[in-house]
Amino acid sequence: MPMRKPVILTGLRANNALHIGNYLGALKPMIDLAKEKAGDYQINLFIPDLHSFTTPIDHSQLQTQIHQNLAVYVAAGLPMNHDDIHIYRQSFIPAHSELTVILNSFTGMGEMSRMTQFKDKSAQQHEDRISVGLFDYPVLMASDILLYNAEYVPVGDDQTQHLEFTRDIAQRINSKFGNIFTVPKSVQEQHSFFGKQQGLRIRDLQNPAKKMSKSDETGKGVLFLSDSPELIRSKIMSATTDSLSDIQYDYSEQPGISNLLDILELFGGEKKSFIGQKQYGSLKQATADAVCAFIEDFQGRFNQVDTDAIDKKLIAGEEHMNTQATTTLRAVQNAVGLRSQ
């Protein structure tokens, strides 16, 4: 029997329109990693559809958004023909939900109450609208990871607590019942393995004090991958700058200008050539040209995506992952007395 390959696991966004910040900060680095590591690692790319409605969403659009976002990943270069790369929907693997129920009985209320992301997200909702699913999110995330013996999980700063909890609950179960789970690498080891690409943050064009985000209700400061080139150009040309009339790369004094310089460079432009210029219009024009060129090419590839190939890859991935996840779940069920050997 061949040796098991170490597992890299990450979630692909299930809902919400994707923007250039998602593309540069998470999507492209993840695809580059999959291309580089497939062969030596098993790459699990799952759609966290159960996680997607821990806060309110339009449920009628969920399946459409899942398939659209998968097409975005394929258009961005995700390899579909490599045996070590697996895509699957979380809810199509029943073991995710079953393991979460078991782990809940070994998880403290205090542990979950201290999660910063829960505090931040629940603060934005009326108390009666805060779901138990949002509170329990880290336990489901732990199940996502532990079912596949995943060692490497790229996480942003807002997810580090959840990864540490995953390590804690894995060690807790192993200490009580024997060596059942593979404990994921520490946050420090994850950062060393993945590098800093995952931390990239593009800022909102209208409010450069915050990152570009779907939560911007107006959408004026967000460059979506589905925006037309004309709309992209309009948003960039109307981006907030300042009244200093001297281009410098300085986020403390000129956050809007510095954000435009970064976007320009990330899409192949030369930001150094604009430092010291007195007019902002030429920088906006160059940034718009660079992003529009990318968008036109990307949308051309998106329109050519083979959706039947995506469906076949999903079905194959879900069959393969069901086998792996059920094996782990059965070991846990045996350990806690729900099944006999």
Side-chain angles (χ1 to χ4, degrees):
M1 179 180 292
M3 290 184 62
R4 181 181 67 85
K5 294 178 180 179
V7 177
I8 299 171
L9 179 144
T10 191
L12 310 182
R13 191 177 294 260
N15 59 320
N16 293 339
L18 298 169
H19 52 72
I20 66 163
N22 301 136
Y23 176 85
L24 293 168
L27 192 155
K28 188 176 184 299
M30 181 275 295
I31 291 173
D32 291 344
L33 181 81
K35 290 178 177 178
E36 176 189 347
K37 300 295 187 182
D40 296 321
Y41 294 81
Q42 175 179 307
I43 314 293
N44 284 20
L45 308 174
F46 76 100
I47 295 92
D49 48 358
L50 292 171
H51 285 302
S52 69
F53 52 86
T54 53
T55 53
I57 66 165
D58 181 352
H59 294 266
S60 68
Q61 295 299 309
L62 181 56
Q63 286 303 311
T64 297
Q65 291 174 333
I66 286 172
H67 283 84
Q68 284 180 341
N69 284 354
L70 278 174
V72 166
Y73 282 90
V74 174
L78 178 65
M80 294 291 284
N81 57 356
H82 201 296
D83 290 341
D84 286 337
I85 297 177
H86 306 276
I87 60 173
Y88 56 98
R89 289 161 289 195
Q90 182 187 41
S91 69
F92 278 62
I93 317 294
H96 287 249
S97 301
E98 295 185 47
L99 181 59
T100 298
V101 172
I102 295 172
L103 294 184
N104 278 339
S105 294
F106 298 90
T107 300
M109 291 283 289
E111 287 179 294
M112 296 297 96
S113 299
R114 290 190 291 272
M115 293 291 168
T116 301
Q117 193 174 67
F118 170 72
K119 292 178 183 177
D120 291 344
K121 288 191 174 183
S122 61
Q124 302 169 19
Q125 301 179 47
H126 188 276
E127 183 177 358
D128 291 339
R129 295 288 297 160
I130 301 170
S131 72
V132 175
L134 179 62
F135 184 74
D136 202 35
Y137 181 109
V139 186
L140 178 55
M141 179 173 164
S143 298
D144 298 335
I145 297 168
L146 298 176
L147 282 169
Y148 306 100
N149 299 299
E151 296 178 58
Y152 298 102
V153 186
V155 291
D157 292 340
D158 58 344
Q159 294 279 343
T160 56
Q161 276 188 311
H162 297 172
L163 180 63
E164 290 296 354
F165 167 74
T166 300
R167 286 169 49 80
D168 289 344
I169 193 68
Q171 291 165 344
R172 191 176 307 160
I173 296 296
N174 287 352
S175 176
K176 187 173 181 67
F177 297 107
N179 190 24
I180 296 175
F181 292 130
T182 296
V183 179
K185 302 295 185 183
S186 68
V187 171
Q188 182 178 356
E189 290 172 299
Q190 303 287 353
H191 288 168
S192 176
F193 182 79
F194 291 108
K196 290 298 183 181
Q197 283 183 302
Q198 295 285 334
L200 180 65
R201 293 290 185 268
I202 300 300
R203 302 196 183 189
D204 188 281
L205 294 175
Q206 292 296 314
N207 181 6
K210 66 176 186 178
K211 72 176 183 178
M212 191 172 285
S213 170
K214 176 64 169 61
S215 62
D216 170 25
E217 294 182 0
T218 69
K220 293 179 179 179
V222 184
L223 302 177
F224 293 104
L225 295 175
S226 58
D227 282 346
S228 68
E230 293 77 18
L231 183 55
I232 292 281
R233 187 173 298 278
S234 174
K235 289 180 178 180
I236 292 175
M237 296 306 294
S238 61
T240 296
T241 53
D242 52 64
S243 58
L244 298 179
S245 297
D246 182 18
I247 296 177
Q248 297 296 331
Y249 186 70
D250 183 346
Y251 268 102
S252 62
E253 296 294 329
Q254 294 185 284
I257 287 295
S258 299
N259 189 42
L260 288 173
L261 288 167
D262 275 341
I263 293 172
L264 172 66
E265 186 170 66
L266 287 163
F267 286 100
E270 282 281 346
K271 72 180 179 184
K272 289 182 179 180
S273 63
F274 287 93
I275 303 297
Q277 287 193 18
K278 302 296 183 183
Q279 300 296 324
Y280 294 168
S282 58
L283 170 60
K284 288 185 174 183
Q285 188 69 51
T287 304
D289 288 345
V291 179
C292 285
F294 161 78
I295 287 292
E296 289 175 354
D297 178 66
F298 175 82
Q299 291 179 356
R301 285 182 276 117
F302 177 84
N303 292 332
Q304 297 299 315
V305 167
D306 185 345
T307 55
D308 289 339
I310 292 177
D311 288 338
K312 289 178 182 178
K313 185 74 172 176
L314 267 178
I315 292 169
E318 286 157 0
E319 180 179 354
H320 191 71
M321 291 301 108
N322 256 311
T323 299
Q324 288 193 10
T326 300
T327 298
T328 304
L329 177 64
R330 182 54 59 92
V332 176
Q333 290 171 329
N334 286 337
V336 301
L338 293 173
R339 299 288 189 275
S340 59
Q341 299 295 331

Coordinates of all heavy atoms in Angstrom, one line a residue, residues 13 18 25 43 64 67 74-75 104 107 115 157 176 217 282 291 293 299 307 309 336:
R13 N -14.7 29.7 -1.4 CA -15.9 30.4 -1.0 C -17.1 29.9 -1.6 O -17.2 29.7 -2.8 CB -15.7 31.9 -1.3 CG -16.7 32.9 -0.7 CD -16.3 34.3 -1.1 NE -15.0 34.7 -0.5 CZ -15.0 35.4 0.6 NH1 -16.1 35.8 1.2 NH2 -13.8 35.8 1.1
L18 N -17.0 37.3 -5.8 CA -15.6 37.4 -5.6 C -15.1 38.7 -6.2 O -15.5 39.1 -7.3 CB -14.9 36.2 -6.1 CG -15.3 34.9 -5.5 CD1 -14.7 33.7 -6.3 CD2 -14.8 34.8 -4.1
G25 N -5.5 37.9 -2.8 CA -5.1 37.6 -1.5 C -5.3 36.1 -1.1 O -4.6 35.6 -0.2
I43 N -4.4 17.6 -2.1 CA -4.9 18.9 -2.0 C -6.4 18.8 -1.9 O -7.1 18.5 -2.8 CB -4.5 19.8 -3.2 CG1 -3.0 19.7 -3.6 CG2 -4.9 21.3 -3.0 CD1 -2.1 20.2 -2.5
T64 N -26.4 28.2 -7.1 CA -26.0 29.0 -8.3 C -24.6 29.7 -8.0 O -23.7 29.6 -8.8 CB -27.0 30.1 -8.7 OG1 -28.2 29.5 -9.1 CG2 -26.4 31.0 -9.8
H67 N -21.6 27.1 -7.9 CA -21.2 26.7 -9.2 C -20.5 27.9 -9.9 O -19.5 27.7 -10.6 CB -22.3 26.1 -10.0 CG -22.7 24.7 -9.7 ND1 -23.5 24.4 -8.6 CD2 -22.3 23.5 -10.2 CE1 -23.7 23.1 -8.5 NE2 -22.9 22.6 -9.4
V74 N -11.7 27.8 -11.6 CA -11.2 27.1 -12.8 C -10.7 28.2 -13.8 O -9.6 28.0 -14.4 CB -12.3 26.3 -13.5 CG1 -11.8 25.7 -14.8 CG2 -12.7 25.1 -12.5
A75 N -11.4 29.3 -14.0 CA -10.9 30.3 -14.9 C -9.6 30.9 -14.5 O -8.8 31.3 -15.3 CB -12.0 31.4 -15.0
N104 N -18.9 18.4 19.8 CA -19.6 19.4 20.7 C -19.6 19.0 22.1 O -19.5 19.8 23.0 CB -21.0 19.6 20.2 CG -21.1 20.5 19.0 OD1 -20.2 21.4 18.8 ND2 -22.2 20.5 18.3
T107 N -16.4 20.0 23.9 CA -16.1 21.4 23.7 C -16.8 22.3 24.8 O -17.9 22.0 25.1 CB -16.5 21.9 22.3 OG1 -15.9 21.1 21.4 CG2 -16.2 23.4 22.1
M115 N -14.1 33.2 21.3 CA -13.7 33.4 19.9 C -14.0 34.8 19.4 O -15.1 35.2 19.3 CB -14.4 32.3 19.0 CG -14.0 30.9 19.3 SD -12.3 30.6 18.8 CE -12.1 29.0 19.6
D157 N -5.5 36.0 9.8 CA -5.5 36.3 11.2 C -6.8 36.1 11.9 O -6.8 35.8 13.1 CB -5.1 37.8 11.3 CG -3.6 38.1 10.9 OD1 -2.8 37.1 10.8 OD2 -3.3 39.2 10.5
K176 N -7.6 11.3 25.5 CA -8.6 10.5 26.2 C -8.8 9.1 25.5 O -9.1 8.1 26.2 CB -9.9 11.3 26.2 CG -11.1 10.6 27.0 CD -12.3 11.6 27.1 CE -13.4 11.0 27.9 NZ -13.0 10.9 29.4
E217 N -22.0 47.9 1.2 CA -23.3 47.8 0.6 C -23.4 48.5 -0.8 O -24.2 48.2 -1.6 CB -24.4 48.3 1.6 CG -24.5 47.4 2.8 CD -25.6 47.9 3.8 OE1 -26.2 48.9 3.4 OE2 -25.8 47.3 4.8
S282 N -3.3 60.5 -14.1 CA -2.5 59.5 -14.9 C -2.3 58.2 -14.1 O -2.3 57.2 -14.7 CB -1.1 60.1 -15.2 OG -0.4 60.5 -14.1
V291 N -6.0 46.9 -14.6 CA -7.1 46.1 -14.1 C -8.1 45.7 -15.2 O -8.5 44.5 -15.3 CB -7.8 46.8 -12.9 CG1 -8.9 45.8 -12.4 CG2 -6.8 47.1 -11.8
A293 N -7.5 45.3 -18.4 CA -6.8 44.3 -19.2 C -6.9 42.9 -18.6 O -7.2 41.9 -19.3 CB -5.4 44.7 -19.5
Q299 N -12.5 37.3 -17.8 CA -13.9 37.0 -18.1 C -14.0 36.2 -19.4 O -14.9 35.4 -19.6 CB -14.6 38.3 -18.2 CG -14.8 39.0 -16.9 CD -15.6 40.3 -16.9 OE1 -15.9 40.8 -18.0 NE2 -15.8 40.9 -15.8
T307 N -18.5 23.5 -17.6 CA -19.2 23.3 -16.4 C -19.5 21.8 -16.2 O -19.5 21.3 -15.1 CB -20.6 24.0 -16.4 OG1 -21.3 23.7 -17.6 CG2 -20.3 25.5 -16.4
A309 N -17.3 19.5 -16.8 CA -16.1 19.0 -16.2 C -16.0 19.2 -14.7 O -15.6 18.4 -13.9 CB -14.9 19.6 -16.9
V336 N -15.7 6.4 21.2 CA -16.6 6.9 22.1 C -17.8 6.0 22.5 O -18.6 6.3 23.3 CB -17.2 8.3 21.7 CG1 -16.1 9.3 21.4 CG2 -18.1 8.1 20.4

